[in-house]
Amino acid sequence: MQGEQDKPKYQVPPGVLSAIVTIALLGTTIGQLVFGRLGDRIGRQHVYGIALMIMVLSSLGCSFLICKLRECVMVSLSFFKFFLGVGIGGDHPLSATIMSEFANKRTCGAFIAAVFSMQGFGILASSTVTMVVYVVYVVACSIQFGPITFDQMPV
């Protein structure tokens, strides 16, 4: 018979997780439509700067949530993920268009390929940083609390 101790201690319900992912994708769609149109109307470089600021600020908002209640965390995370999606959605059409406008005919394709291939390098770099931070955290916890297992780690 399985008891309460067999369940994972920190588990996000699948419906909540799906809602957070859907909100980010909705923000991406809205960002593509809004920033693409604004880029055509008031200037791509100016609008691209706004999209980058939205991405930076919403990433920081996702990183530094100060809520302690589960509901507050999920609402705040959804809020910032939506605006992160808006910023990412604005980045996609504008970055390719700006790159193609400033490249000459001979190097245009290579520049656009370079812009989008950098996404893969960014994913690789962020995963590496995550692993390094985790190892530093485990070492710091081991130094402070002695040898510990994953279940004993403070969160």
Side-chain angles (χ1 to χ4, degrees):
M1 185 163 118
Q2 292 183 348
E4 287 292 318
Q5 295 187 6
D6 293 342
K7 288 184 176 180
K9 188 174 181 182
Y10 302 104
Q11 184 176 5
V12 179
V16 174
L17 192 60
S18 297
I20 290 173
V21 171
T22 303
I23 284 174
L25 291 174
L26 178 68
T28 302
T29 305
I30 291 171
Q32 288 178 349
L33 296 172
V34 169
F35 281 103
R37 185 72 173 149
L38 282 176
D40 290 340
R41 288 218 168 208
I42 63 174
R44 289 180 185 88
Q45 290 181 335
H46 178 69
V47 174
Y48 187 64
I50 294 170
L52 290 178
M53 288 304 297
I54 289 173
M55 283 193 295
V56 168
L57 294 175
S58 57
S59 294
L60 290 173
C62 287
S63 301
F64 297 112
L65 292 177
I66 57 172
C67 298
K68 294 189 180 200
L69 298 174
R70 183 182 306 176
E71 293 81 15
C72 179
V73 169
M74 289 300 152
V75 168
S76 299
L77 188 61
S78 297
F79 175 79
F80 288 117
K81 290 286 266 185
F82 173 78
F83 282 104
L84 181 61
V86 169
I88 290 171
D91 175 70
H92 281 153
L94 294 173
S95 62
T97 306
I98 289 171
M99 185 54 77
S100 66
E101 286 176 349
F102 287 105
N104 59 34
K105 288 182 181 181
R106 198 186 74 191
T107 59
C108 182
F111 281 163
I112 291 175
V115 165
F116 288 107
S117 67
M118 287 297 123
Q119 292 175 357
F121 289 117
I123 292 169
L124 180 64
S126 68
S127 299
T128 304
V129 168
T130 301
M131 289 187 286
V132 167
V133 168
Y134 175 73
V135 168
V136 169
Y137 178 72
V138 168
V139 169
C141 287
S142 297
I143 290 171
Q144 185 174 1
F145 301 110
I148 56 175
T149 64
F150 181 75
D151 295 336
Q152 297 170 330
M153 265 192 207
V155 288

